Amino acid sequence: MLLKYFYDDKLAHASYLVGCQRAREAIVIDPGRDIEGYLAMAEREGLTITAVAETHIHADYVSGARELADRVGAKLYVSDEGPAEWKYLYLDGYTNQLLHDGDSFSIGKIKFDVMHTPGHTPESLSFVLTDQGGGATSPMGIFTGDFVFVGSIGRPDLLEEAAGIAGTAEPGAKDLFASMKRFRALPDHLQVWPAHGAGSACGKGLGAIPSSTVGYEKLTNPALQYDNEESFVRYILADQPEAPKYFAVMKRVNKEGPRVLGEGHHHQMLDLAKLHAALKSGTVIDLAPSSEFAKGHVPGAINIPIGMLATWAGWLVDYDKPTYLICKPEQLEEAARVLHKIGVEEIIGAFDAHSIQASGEADEVYSTAKPSELLPRIESDRVTLIDVRSNEEWNEGHIQNANHYFLGRLPSRLSELPKDKTVVVHCLSGARSSIAASVLQANGVKDVINMEGGYKAWVQADLPKQKETVSLSS
């Protein structure tokens, strides 16, 4: 047997290629949309990808299952558990097998036993692997998807928080408790292969180690220590990270079937003459470093530096409008790949950043200032101070007179801001607040100051702050 681990650090997403070297066949578990890595690995190992299995309908990235089925004819193994509204809708035309609890399927001499492990989502499955080609009669590991992570467990509130399906969080938590008890009954020696690592919003406190064992998780995973359902439900629903609003889009996309990109999919650089039309019709994202953007940018563009694109584009892009980029030509395809992974489909192309600077179109700026320079204006209420950090960060401590507007939800709350004051924006260090400054300016708030060094610099300067124990807003 061959087991290869793939990790997309931008999305904290783990996927796996499992190959039977006797049959020269392979299956990919929970593939991402960019399938080239799987194809290259299979070719390098002399294997043919004949199958794809998904643990559930993912919410945080676009699945590559349909892309593989379309490109290489891979058979789809997907869940048929859960309610009618969470069934796959794109399977016609592709070879597939619908899976239920207790089913099994094989790739060559490698057997996968199916466990229905609902809670994170109603249709969620786990796959228990036995390497029969090596003579084994007992399993060696389990692909848990978003059910059990290293050091954590999948959150049950996404359908309610992100998809807006009211009343599903607590029942999901109870389902998760029952699934957790089934997991604890598994043999301690089983390896655990999850679909996410640290940084994913699919759970809280995920570990950065790529794999674990059932026994180790039973000893150390906080979520696995509960024997009382009510206590478990309270624990698992508390202090979950903000659920990105694009998760609802991903659920629909992966259920209905992502658009097949196809081999050789690419994008184009655009004539600068189309810039103004782009600003009117869609979302224009400038990938420049924030320090460069602050000194001169196109009015109406938002700034998401390329290293932060995967984290924040899903919050800030309008999925119902076309997307355009301002970047260096060599950045276009990588940025487009990231956007496609989170379901941004209509990427029209990009405008060359150097040409824009040379044209004089980048004539809007915003200023920055140190905390000590801003203190008198903040204390005298001559500016509106906006803190764009997460709920957890805000609760740990914040600046007196600050207003909490989490960055991801800032666009929907712009009408709450006063129109007659300068807006000072800050986060922990200044990176997220630079994005916020661009969002504010793109939406008509022109007098914006980004606090240099953010809350960290404020604390280091020993300026007034306060601590809260409950969230004031989101």
Side-chain angles (χ1 to χ4, degrees):
M1 187 190 87
L2 178 77
L3 175 63
K4 292 292 184 179
Y5 172 76
F6 296 81
Y7 193 73
D8 185 336
D9 56 3
K10 292 182 175 64
L11 298 173
H13 165 227
S15 55
Y16 306 84
L17 184 145
V18 183
C20 175
Q21 292 158 311
R22 287 189 180 184
R24 313 309 295 172
E25 296 179 0
I27 184 172
V28 183
I29 310 293
D30 287 331
R33 193 174 198 178
D34 187 356
I35 66 170
E36 300 303 330
Y38 312 123
L39 297 175
M41 179 62 70
E43 182 178 8
R44 189 157 55 245
E45 297 293 338
L47 303 172
T48 299
I49 296 175
T50 59
V52 177
E54 286 207 300
T55 53
H56 65 296
I57 300 173
H58 294 275
D60 55 312
Y61 66 90
V62 176
S63 165
R66 186 179 191 181
E67 194 80 22
L68 279 165
D70 196 85
R71 181 89 70 88
V72 299
K75 182 176 181 178
L76 298 169
Y77 292 92
V78 297
S79 177
D80 195 36
E81 296 282 5
E85 59 267 29
W86 291 111
K87 304 294 185 183
Y88 288 81
L89 301 179
Y90 68 89
L91 301 179
D92 290 348
Y94 298 108
T95 304
N96 68 85
Q97 181 176 329
L98 297 176
L99 301 175
H100 303 87
D101 187 64
D103 286 348
S104 64
F105 60 94
S106 296
I107 304 301
K109 293 292 186 178
I110 303 169
K111 182 183 178 185
F112 298 85
D113 290 305
V114 179
M115 287 178 59
H116 182 212
T117 48
H120 175 66
T121 61
E123 81 288 356
S124 178
L125 303 176
S126 296
F127 304 125
V128 180
L129 180 152
T130 302
D131 181 15
Q132 295 177 326
T137 57
S138 60
M140 68 177 296
I142 179 170
F143 294 98
T144 52
D146 292 12
F147 165 39
V148 174
F149 303 119
V150 177
S152 187
I153 197 168
R155 62 190 296 180
D157 63 327
L158 279 182
L159 294 181
E160 187 162 327
E161 291 296 318
I165 305 176
T168 55
E170 187 168 331
K174 292 179 178 179
D175 287 343
L176 193 61
F177 179 73
S179 296
M180 181 266 288
K181 290 196 294 183
R182 287 191 72 187
F183 178 86
R184 292 196 312 194
L186 293 170
D188 285 356
H189 73 269
L190 287 190
Q191 296 181 58
V192 175
W193 302 304
H196 291 293
S200 170
C202 289
K204 58 181 178 180
L206 277 68
I209 299 171
S211 64
S212 183
T213 64
V214 169
Y216 188 77
E217 292 307 305
K218 284 161 63 174
L219 286 172
T220 63
N221 190 320
L224 270 59
Q225 308 310 309
Y226 290 86
D227 293 312
N228 177 270
E229 181 184 76
E230 183 179 349
S231 298
F232 174 84
V233 169
R234 285 199 304 268
Y235 163 79
I236 202 63
L237 293 180
D239 303 320
Q240 291 287 0
E242 288 85 355
K245 65 179 184 180
Y246 81 91
F247 277 21
V249 177
M250 293 299 91
K251 271 292 183 184
R252 175 182 56 77
V253 166
N254 286 327
K255 179 177 72 171
E256 296 177 358
R259 177 167 66 97
V260 175
L261 297 178
E263 188 174 5
H265 180 76
H266 67 279
H267 305 82
Q268 61 182 338
M269 298 301 295
L270 302 172
D271 191 298
L272 194 56
K274 298 180 180 180
L275 176 61
H276 292 286
L279 290 163
K280 290 180 180 179
S281 66
T283 304
V284 178
I285 306 174
D286 190 327
L287 303 183
S290 58
S291 58
E292 294 180 11
F293 184 88
K295 295 175 182 177
H297 53 266
V298 174
I302 64 171
N303 177 218
I304 309 180
I306 192 166
M308 303 175 75
L309 195 60
T311 303
W312 294 109
W315 285 102
L316 303 174
V317 166
D318 187 336
Y319 277 74
D320 296 323
K321 295 182 178 180
T323 297
Y324 302 82
L325 302 174
I326 296 175
C327 63
K328 299 174 183 177
E330 62 269 23
Q331 294 176 313
L332 171 56
E333 294 305 332
E334 174 59 24
R337 267 194 297 273
V338 171
L339 292 172
H340 279 318
K341 288 176 183 180
I342 57 171
V344 180
E345 297 287 38
E346 195 177 358
I347 304 170
I348 306 301
F351 300 99
D352 183 84
H354 178 75
S355 297
I356 285 180
Q357 290 294 328
S359 71
E361 294 280 357
D363 58 359
E364 185 173 63
V365 301
Y366 66 78
S367 59
T368 63
K370 297 177 181 179
S372 58
E373 297 169 339
L374 293 168
L375 178 61
R377 298 173 70 183
I378 293 171
E379 289 187 324
S380 63
D381 200 32
R382 286 181 285 146
V383 297
T384 299
L385 178 62
I386 301 298
D387 183 336
V388 300
R389 296 176 302 154
S390 68
N391 285 337
E392 182 180 6
E393 291 171 296
W394 168 271
N395 291 340
E396 289 175 352
H398 55 264
I399 299 171
Q400 293 178 13
N401 299 336
N403 302 275
H404 187 210
Y405 288 74
F406 168 62
L407 172 57
R409 304 196 188 279
L410 180 60
S412 65
R413 301 186 62 194
L414 292 169
S415 62
E416 302 172 25
L417 294 174
K419 307 299 182 184
D420 57 346
K421 287 183 180 180
T422 298
V423 175
V424 175
V425 62
H426 81 89
C427 59
L428 180 63
S429 64
R432 285 170 288 174
S433 56
S434 66
I435 298 175
S438 76
V439 170
L440 291 169
Q441 285 196 320
N443 286 276
V445 182
K446 298 303 181 183
D447 193 2
V448 179
I449 301 173
N450 187 21
M451 183 187 295
E452 294 180 18
Y455 185 69
K456 185 184 296 184
W458 185 278
V459 171
Q460 290 173 344
D462 198 26
L463 300 178
K465 58 185 182 296
Q466 64 189 57
K467 184 174 182 179
E468 293 291 328
T469 56
V470 296
S471 175
L472 302 183
S473 62
S474 62

